[in-house]
Amino acid sequence: MKDLARALGAGQRPLGLVPTMGALHDGHLSLVRRAGGEGAAVVVSIFVNPTQFGPAEDLSRYPRQLESDLGLLEPFGVEAVFAPAVEEMYPQGFDTLVEPGSVARTLEGERRPGHFRGVATVVLKLFSIISPDVAYFGQKDFQQTVVVHRLVQDFNLDVRLRICPIVREPDGLALSSRNRYLDADDRQAATVLYRSLERARGLVYDGQTDAARISGEMGRVFAAEPRAQLDYALIVDPRNLEPVVQVRSDSVALVAAQVGPARLIDNMILGAPGRNP
Ligand code: AMP
């Protein structure tokens, strides 16, 4: 992969990397499309990264379907799919992990200890192996984008990041590989994340800027959906992920909930009062 990436990087086009864990859906493919649209030579990585899963999490049942993923990528004409084995990425004796700081300790990092250490470690490894000029991430995993931004800044990495919009089902549910854990009733209930975010955006549009009131209203949307257990619904500053008191035009609503067997996350940039973001 390093030899191939070096050859691709020496070409005319920028080298674009789309890191994924596979089980590809239209959210992933939107990143591939964006990379191609920007004229990049595209490498897609597919690697279910064990170091970002906690011991009680879904590593063993996480969907793996390399053959059909390759089929989905076929029409995009990507230059390479990098799908290493776990032993290639973490051979015997592997002993160094990247520990991101405060932006990795709240929210998902608090609920999933070690998760962002695994993310930062694998992203740094992928960047080292492929040396992309540009890397494409989804806004869907908002905190992850903040952690990766810090990683790039703090380690002086020569890669530009592109954060791409969240791709949703027609009813608003953000596409996620974990949606396949949902049965029909849970699938229906899972729209509550989007509905709570839309409620928040609507309140801001109508002039509400009190973050606590908005979070409270999001909680009420969840209270009407017994199949979902709200974990958090917060309005944060996108730079440091700290909760805000007053909503500003760049504030982001973040939500996490358990719906049946799946832990789901979603988010929305709220925009200025009276204006859509
Ligand atoms: P994953 O395979 O879940 O690690 O996701 C790989 C990349 O795809 C990450 O940068 C995600 O943020 C992005 N992604 C996942 N779901 C979506 C979505 N619904 N819309 C846009 N990007 C997404």
Side-chain angles (χ1 to χ4, degrees), residues 19-21 25 27-28 31 62 137-138 140-141 144 165-167 175:
T20 81
M21 298 207 298
H25 52 62
H28 300 113
L31 309 186
Y62 197 88
F137 291 86
K140 162 74 172 33
D141 297 280
Q144 172 170 281
I166 302 171
V167 177
L175 299 194

Side-chain angles (χ1 to χ4, degrees), residues 60-84:
S60 60
R61 69 189 168 122
Y62 197 88
R64 291 164 174 85
Q65 42 177 63
L66 186 58
E67 284 309 312
S68 64
D69 285 347
L70 295 177
L72 288 171
L73 290 172
E74 191 71 50
F76 291 89
V78 304
E79 297 296 332
V81 175
F82 180 50

Side-chain angles (χ1 to χ4, degrees), residues 18-31 45 47 52 62 136-142 144-145 164-168 173-178:
V18 179
T20 81
M21 298 207 298
L24 300 182
H25 52 62
D26 281 341
H28 300 113
L29 298 178
S30 75
L31 309 186
S45 65
F47 181 60
Q52 72 187 68
Y62 197 88
Y136 297 82
F137 291 86
Q139 184 197 317
K140 162 74 172 33
D141 297 280
F142 194 86
Q144 172 170 281
T145 70
C164 304
I166 302 171
V167 177
R168 300 180 178 283
L173 178 66
L175 299 194
S176 164
S177 309
R178 291 192 166 97

Side-chain angles (χ1 to χ4, degrees), residues 185-228:
D185 290 336
D186 289 333
R187 167 64 189 80
Q188 193 92 35
T191 60
V192 68
L193 283 86
Y194 179 69
R195 287 187 277 121
S196 74
L197 293 167
E198 278 286 274
R199 176 91 182 108
R201 182 158 68 177
L203 288 165
V204 172
Y205 185 82
D206 290 341
Q208 180 60 263
T209 60
D210 182 329
R213 289 189 95 106
I214 297 169
S215 303
E217 283 299 318
M218 293 172 75
R220 261 187 280 285
V221 176
F222 271 88
E225 182 48 81
R227 300 189 83 91

Side-chain angles (χ1 to χ4, degrees), residues 102-141:
S102 60
V103 292
R105 285 194 286 268
T106 73
L107 304 164
E108 291 306 290
E110 198 179 328
R111 275 84 178 171
R112 306 180 65 189
H115 170 65
F116 288 116
R117 181 172 53 218
V119 169
T121 301
V122 80
V123 167
L124 183 61
K125 282 178 67 76
L126 291 169
F127 286 179
S128 306
I129 294 163
I130 294 162
S131 297
D133 299 296
V134 195
Y136 297 82
F137 291 86
Q139 184 197 317
K140 162 74 172 33
D141 297 280

